[in-house]
Amino acid sequence: MTFATVRSVSIAAAVALSAFSAQALTIPTNSLKAESVQVFSEAALQSYQVFGVTVTPLGNATKLSENSFNLPVTSIDIGLTGGIKVQSGKAVGSALEISRTDSFTGKKMGFVVANFTIDFDKNQVLADTSDLTTKVTQKQAPLYNFVKTQELALKYKFPLSISLKEQLGDLRVADVYGTVDSLGIDPALGDIVIPTIDFGVINIDIGVAFRSKPVSTKPYVPAL
């Protein structure tokens, strides 16, 4: 996974001060043109075709092409202890349904991942993960592990003008067994195929331009 460019984030000082704490600063970005685009790799698409898996956008998420989905960024957290750094980014209100239909029973199986968080300290993508069969939801469960391919470059100016750029790569499924089980895929086959796949890239771009209408910051809850 390659994660990102975040460019020229500027908001009023009053907003910044209202969000300020001794340890971190939360910057709301739901009113800005803050886009997070996940592009699935060819290897991921091929594996989905083999298993009959489809990806459907829900909530704030929109489909841009056959393999890319926009998940609007709703906030970023800036750590202020030991220097200024980005701790996490969130795409609350966005969701993707990853599912397949069992050829024998006709039953839809899979899961919904929603309300994404990028944890830069743990190098993980987290999401609320809901199993379509068991109806059980795990809050902020690890979804992907990633490796930083380019260290963060961040600039800060008063009142609050932040520009930052970072790349994250080698996106891997964090819970292979849970993914295989939810999709009803043969465990032996799934355990061999899924760990070998780099699932693609996520490109994030946050600018100073405002949206015509802010995106919702209400967490997405699937109708299971």
Side-chain angles (χ1 to χ4, degrees):
M1 166 183 172
T2 297
F3 184 46
T5 58
V6 181
R7 296 198 306 258
S8 304
V9 181
S10 294
I11 61 175
V15 176
L17 292 174
S18 68
F20 177 78
S21 72
Q23 289 79 33
L25 176 66
T26 297
I27 303 174
T29 57
N30 63 303
S31 294
L32 300 176
K33 289 186 177 179
E35 316 299 356
S36 168
V37 178
Q38 178 162 3
V39 183
F40 287 97
S41 66
E42 285 300 319
L45 291 180
Q46 289 172 7
S47 69
Y48 283 164
Q49 290 174 357
V50 169
F51 295 122
V53 173
T54 59
V55 181
T56 305
L58 302 168
N60 291 341
T62 55
K63 184 174 183 178
L64 301 180
S65 67
E66 195 59 35
N67 67 330
S68 62
F69 298 84
N70 185 32
L71 317 169
V73 180
T74 52
S75 68
I76 57 175
D77 291 332
I78 307 295
L80 302 175
T81 302
I84 299 173
K85 65 177 183 178
V86 177
Q87 294 180 327
S88 65
K90 298 182 184 296
V92 176
S94 290
L96 296 175
E97 180 186 276
I98 300 174
S99 62
R100 60 182 289 270
T101 300
D102 187 278
S103 57
F104 295 103
T105 65
K107 180 180 179 181
K108 184 165 73 171
M109 306 179 70
F111 52 93
V112 174
V113 287
N115 310 314
F116 304 91
T117 299
I118 305 296
D119 187 327
F120 291 97
D121 292 328
K122 295 182 179 179
N123 287 7
Q124 286 187 323
V125 180
L126 312 175
D128 296 342
T129 305
S130 303
D131 189 285
L132 296 177
T133 300
T134 65
K135 316 300 182 184
V136 173
T137 297
Q138 298 182 62
K139 294 291 186 179
Q140 294 300 283
L143 180 61
Y144 299 117
N145 295 312
F146 61 76
V147 175
K148 294 179 182 178
T149 58
Q150 179 179 322
E151 285 302 314
L152 179 71
L154 182 149
K155 295 181 180 179
Y156 171 83
K157 292 183 179 180
F158 184 85
L160 184 58
S161 178
I162 295 177
S163 63
L164 57 98
K165 182 179 181 181
E166 183 161 24
Q167 291 185 332
L168 313 177
D170 199 20
L171 185 65
R172 305 286 170 167
V173 170
D175 183 3
V176 173
Y177 176 77
T179 299
V180 168
D181 188 54
S182 293
L183 289 170
I185 295 171
D186 181 88
L189 181 58
D191 287 347
I192 292 173
V193 174
I194 292 178
T196 68
I197 300 172
D198 178 345
F199 272 78
V201 303
I202 294 177
N203 298 310
I204 293 183
D205 192 346
I206 300 175
V208 296
F210 285 90
R211 296 182 183 276
S212 58
K213 180 180 179 181
V215 297
S216 172
T217 58
K218 182 178 179 181
Y220 182 85
V221 179
L224 299 175

